[in-house]
């Protein structure tokens, strides 16, 4: 494992501590938006990295965060068709 993948795993584990009604709290929404932005940057710049560790990432993200899970699952390595 690369240190970067470990950092993203820790970042995604933060989501497990969100309450069920996290959308009602601006603090949680801001953290979630920041995680989405960081993930989008990595998916755009280094899609091979995300597709290499997608299973680890998906296992850590709770099911209720569908948008984040879909972003990671939509990442494909260059040269492979989806």
């Amino acid at each position: 494992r690369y240190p970067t993948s470990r950092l993203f795993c820790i970042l995604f584990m933060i989501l497990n501590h969100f309450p069920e009604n996290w959308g009602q709290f601006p603090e949680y929404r801001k953290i979630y938006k920041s995680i989405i932005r960081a993930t989008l940057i990595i998916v755009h710049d280094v899609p091979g990295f995300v597709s290499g560790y997608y299973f680890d990432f998906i296992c850590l993200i709770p099911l209720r965060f569908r948008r984040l899970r879909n972003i990671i699952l939509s990442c494909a390595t260059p040269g492979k068709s989806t």
Side-chain angles (χ1 to χ4, degrees), residues 20-67:
E20 290 293 325
N21 60 346
W22 66 272
Q24 297 176 359
F25 302 99
E27 302 85 10
Y28 288 111
R29 285 195 310 260
K30 188 173 249 185
I31 293 170
Y32 181 67
K33 280 184 178 182
S34 300
I35 292 172
I36 290 280
R37 286 180 185 147
T39 304
L40 284 171
I41 290 169
I42 295 299
V43 165
H44 180 265
D45 292 346
V46 195
F49 167 76
V50 178
S51 64
Y53 290 100
Y54 81 95
F55 188 75
D56 296 333
F57 296 157
I58 291 297
C59 287
L60 293 173
I61 301 171
L63 292 174
R64 64 182 180 265
F65 297 101
R66 289 183 199 96
R67 181 182 298 166

Side-chain angles (χ1 to χ4, degrees), residues 1-11 42 49 53 57:
R1 279 197 164 173
Y2 292 105
T4 310
S5 68
R6 186 170 168 95
L7 286 173
F8 265 90
C9 288
I10 292 169
L11 185 69
I42 295 299
F49 167 76
Y53 290 100
F57 296 157

